[in-house]
């Protein structure tokens, strides 16, 4: 039996240098930890309970707030590299040795940076709706923090396609985000979102040479998951990851945008299970 | 219990117009038929027993020789459209109503043409190592029938990558092709291979307009499977299928060429099962 679920896991805190990091840990204690790295301007309550609980059936799931986000203190850095160092500190503070990571969008950038810079920390990596450093069209010029004023509308437009099936999945997703009724997280401060936006834009800048050289250095088995109509991170970026990572399996779902893994949650959880157990 | 397997299924014959088509049928009789459409210059013995038997555990598997190939009489047509008409005749001769299809390379082209031209025949479609009509770099200029003189070398070079892991998978694959000891198929005549080569080159020619319009008309749920280093059909073609088919899931395997589904047979069978049962 899993100990706690997404809805009930108490918010805990761990000191990492000057920062008090908020996290929740639930699922099958004793199993290999699975750390989930969050997307732009998201706090712990923004994880889809269907996915976190799906993982928690077999894994020791850990979600957390980046510094300066939600109930974590500190300042949100404006580069992926600095966020990665923060994440390493968090893992060490929890004394984690051996774990898998799931990185969604911004979280997938941190996951890549971790695998590149700290090659012995994560075992397997799942990259959701993300792209390589200097990927295709990753300027995020259409993304502004003003959109955060209407999160439901932002999620419907960015995570789901205009089709009836996708919009219906989107509405179910928004309902699931309300399932945790107590001990909710704090909103993401505007200043933190601005710093994160800066960090993903910096990540997306195309380097002058050796555009995808970093990917060739990542040795972990990686599962790349993407929606074939992702309007936030163009789908070609998932293809580029699969082309340049030495050991990446790519799965792309139909009629799906940035929330592909939530729209296709049942089959995604099966695919992720096959990969993580593989 | 499956009735017969790849190794033991007797070769049967059915008359389709002037042509006597050779086929083998094995697996779970009464289950939904799964028809396998073969690749360039291949006969029934060229199917990987690990894959056919894997499918046969739960499905009524049918493999066959195209007209003019192996033990089928008749003349091999030089267009995919004509091969598709032959295939429709074969399905009708067997009185098949309701089935799924797996098309590998050339077979995947026929599968697409079938879905486009005869939209009510196949239920679900699996496309292996294939590309859309007018796909990217599908000129097949490096493929010649002379290569068929050394099939083992051709398969190792075209189906597997230079890595040790892939080459090792290739050797195991070649051994599996020998598992069927009796009632073997006949070689593919040179003239038939020439006609097939013509047909895949015609398929690959880029139309002057509406390049991928056909794909938008295909309503079937489709699973697109490809190797990320396919040297026969460039991997970008799988991405194009996933972009333009209305309901396609894409799975791309690492360190894999045209024989991706054989190199990653265990996980491929799981992925195909999830898709076909979905």
């Amino acid at each position: 039996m899993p100990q706690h679920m997404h809805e009930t896991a108490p918010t805990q805190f761990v000191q990492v240098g000057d920062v008090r990091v908020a996290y929740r840990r639930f699922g099958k204690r004793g199993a290999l930890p699975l750390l989930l790295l969050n997307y732009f301007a998201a706090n712990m309550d923004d994880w889809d309970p269907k996915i976190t609980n799906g993982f928690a059936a077999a894994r020791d799931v850990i979600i957390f707030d980046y510094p300066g986000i939600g109930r974590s203190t500190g300042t949100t850095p404006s580069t992926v590299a600095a966020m990665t160092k923060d994440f390493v500190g968090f893992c060490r503070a929890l004394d984690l040795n051996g774990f898998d990571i799931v990185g969604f969008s911004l979280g997938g950038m941190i996951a890549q940076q971790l695998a590149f810079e700290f090659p012995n920390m994560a075992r397997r990596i799942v990259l959701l709706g993300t792209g390589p450093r200097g990927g295709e069209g990753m300027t995020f010029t259409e993304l502004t923090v003003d959109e955060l004023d209407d999160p439901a509308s932002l999620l419907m437009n960015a995570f789901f396609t205009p089709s009836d099936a996708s919009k219906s999945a989107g509405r179910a997703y928004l309902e699931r985000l309300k399932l945790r009724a107590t001990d909710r997280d704090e909103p993401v401060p505007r200043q933190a979102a601005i710093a994160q936006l800066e960090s993903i834009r910096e990540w997306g800048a195309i380097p002058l040479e050796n555009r995808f050289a970093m990917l060739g250095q990542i040795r972990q088995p990686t599962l790349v998951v993407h929606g074939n109509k992702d309007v936030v991170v163009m789908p070609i970026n998932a293809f580029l990851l699969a082309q340049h990572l030495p050991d990446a399996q790519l799965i792309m779902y139909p009629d799906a945008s940035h929330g592909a893994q939530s729209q296709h949650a049942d089959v995604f959880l099966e695919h992720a299970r096959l990969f993580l157990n593989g």
Side-chain angles (χ1 to χ4, degrees), chain A residues 112 115-116 127 131-136 138 203 206-207 209-224 235-250:
Chain A
Q112 291 171 68
F116 175 69
L127 300 177
R133 197 176 214 326
E136 209 51 41
M138 290 171 66
W203 177 267
I206 300 175
E209 52 187 20
N210 298 324
R211 187 172 178 188
F212 300 123
M214 174 193 229
L215 299 179
Q217 304 303 312
I218 293 179
R219 295 292 149 198
Q220 278 88 350
T222 305
L223 174 64
V224 177
I236 193 70
N237 288 294
F239 179 75
L240 289 169
L241 287 169
Q243 286 288 291
H244 294 279
L245 284 166
D247 187 5
Q249 182 185 112
L250 167 65

Side-chain angles (χ1 to χ4, degrees), chain A residues 167-227:
Chain A
K167 286 292 175 226
S168 169
R171 286 187 294 270
Y173 170 82
L174 290 178
E175 287 307 307
R176 292 200 296 274
L177 295 185
K178 302 173 189 165
L179 285 174
R180 183 181 172 98
T182 57
D183 185 23
R184 301 269 304 177
D185 209 340
E186 295 294 327
V188 175
R190 193 178 178 87
Q191 198 51 47
I194 289 171
Q196 286 192 332
L197 193 51
E198 196 175 326
S199 75
I200 62 178
R201 285 178 177 160
E202 193 271 340
W203 177 267
I206 300 175
L208 290 176
E209 52 187 20
N210 298 324
R211 187 172 178 188
F212 300 123
M214 174 193 229
L215 299 179
Q217 304 303 312
I218 293 179
R219 295 292 149 198
Q220 278 88 350
T222 305
L223 174 64
V224 177
V225 174
H226 220 92

Side-chain angles (χ1 to χ4, degrees), chain A residues 29-270:
Chain A
R29 203 60 180 263
L32 200 67
L34 184 69
L35 279 85
L36 275 55
L37 291 146
N38 223 334
Y39 67 95
F40 165 68
N43 68 23
M44 290 185 282
D45 293 340
D46 291 313
W47 282 111
D48 183 352
K50 186 162 183 178
I51 295 199
T52 54
N53 285 334
F55 281 131
R59 299 294 295 266
D60 177 12
V61 169
I62 300 172
I63 59 178
F64 66 101
D65 284 329
Y66 300 122
I69 302 281
R71 288 165 73 178
S72 285
T73 63
T75 307
T76 304
S78 54
T79 66
V80 169
M83 290 180 188
T84 305
K85 287 196 170 44
D86 286 342
F87 177 64
V88 169
F90 172 66
C91 294
R92 289 183 177 151
L94 288 187
D95 199 21
L96 298 175
N97 289 299
F99 53 83
D100 296 332
I101 53 180
V102 176
F104 177 19
S105 198
L106 164 63
M109 301 169 191
I110 298 170
Q112 291 171 68
Q113 184 71 25
L114 180 84
F116 175 69
E117 212 178 335
F118 303 89
N120 299 318
M121 288 196 73
R123 189 193 68 129
R124 285 178 173 252
I125 299 172
V126 180
L127 300 177
L128 307 177
T130 195
R133 197 176 214 326
E136 209 51 41
M138 290 171 66
T139 52
F140 305 104
T141 42
E142 286 162 34
L143 199 60
T144 70
V145 292
D146 295 336
E147 291 183 273
L148 300 173
D149 296 339
D150 184 356
S153 167
L154 175 60
L155 287 172
M156 286 301 277
N157 292 329
F159 279 35
F160 299 91
T161 77
S163 79
D164 289 345
S166 189
K167 286 292 175 226
S168 169
R171 286 187 294 270
Y173 170 82
L174 290 178
E175 287 307 307
R176 292 200 296 274
L177 295 185
K178 302 173 189 165
L179 285 174
R180 183 181 172 98
T182 57
D183 185 23
R184 301 269 304 177
D185 209 340
E186 295 294 327
V188 175
R190 193 178 178 87
Q191 198 51 47
I194 289 171
Q196 286 192 332
L197 193 51
E198 196 175 326
S199 75
I200 62 178
R201 285 178 177 160
E202 193 271 340
W203 177 267
I206 300 175
L208 290 176
E209 52 187 20
N210 298 324
R211 187 172 178 188
F212 300 123
M214 174 193 229
L215 299 179
Q217 304 303 312
I218 293 179
R219 295 292 149 198
Q220 278 88 350
T222 305
L223 174 64
V224 177
V225 174
H226 220 92
N228 78 331
K229 303 290 176 198
D230 192 323
V231 295
V232 180
V233 178
M234 286 165 56
I236 193 70
N237 288 294
F239 179 75
L240 289 169
L241 287 169
Q243 286 288 291
H244 294 279
L245 284 166
D247 187 5
Q249 182 185 112
L250 167 65
I251 300 189
M252 196 168 281
Y253 295 116
D255 181 32
S257 186
H258 207 48
Q261 65 280 354
S262 284
Q263 182 174 336
H264 297 271
D266 291 322
V267 72
F268 163 69
L269 287 167
E270 292 276 8

